[in-house]
Amino acid sequence: MNKDILAKKEADVNALAEKMEAASSVVLVEYRGLTVAEVTELRRALREEDVEFKVYKNKLVQRATESAGYAEINDKLVGPNAIVFGHSDAVAPARILANFAKDHEALVIKAGIVEGKVLEVEEIN
């Protein structure tokens, strides 16, 4: 593989790992089955609370979690996933996602990271 491509991928992994470490909370969700309108509605609700919803390739997330020390969530990286980053309020992402999931069964909360600790779904809810 081209050295430039490898360097770019390594930089992407490092940037994501740093973003995970800097966030007050991180939640991994599966969004398969949501319509574009529903994802837009979710993004709008998250943005109002200074929460970011971003889709990454699972392999990139896997490498970033290994780099950041959160490899426990790698077994949940199956299917179309998104990562939700809480910046100012550690509880906001979980609260918004749990409320949205009540009305939209297609949204599945898989795992989370709060203050450096990996949490299971029950702890997030």
Side-chain angles (χ1 to χ4, degrees), residues 21 24 26 35 39 46 51-52 68 81 84-85 92 106 109-110 123:
E21 291 170 346
S24 60
V26 177
T35 66
V39 172
L46 292 167
V51 177
E52 181 182 359
N81 296 303
V84 181
F85 299 95
I109 299 172
K110 292 184 161 185
E123 296 171 293

Side-chain angles (χ1 to χ4, degrees), residues 37-95:
E38 290 170 333
V39 172
T40 302
E41 176 187 343
L42 175 60
R43 285 180 189 261
R44 186 176 300 117
L46 292 167
R47 204 173 17 251
E48 289 173 1
E49 299 267 350
D50 190 32
V51 177
E52 181 182 359
F53 180 97
K54 186 96 167 120
V55 177
Y56 294 97
K57 290 186 178 270
N58 287 338
K59 196 65 175 177
L60 175 73
V61 175
Q62 181 181 10
R63 289 187 173 134
T65 56
E66 289 169 359
S67 173
Y70 305 125
E72 301 101 294
I73 68 170
N74 286 348
D75 61 330
K76 296 178 178 53
L77 292 172
V78 178
N81 296 303
I83 299 182
V84 181
F85 299 95
H87 298 292
S88 55
D89 182 2
V91 179
R95 177 177 35 83

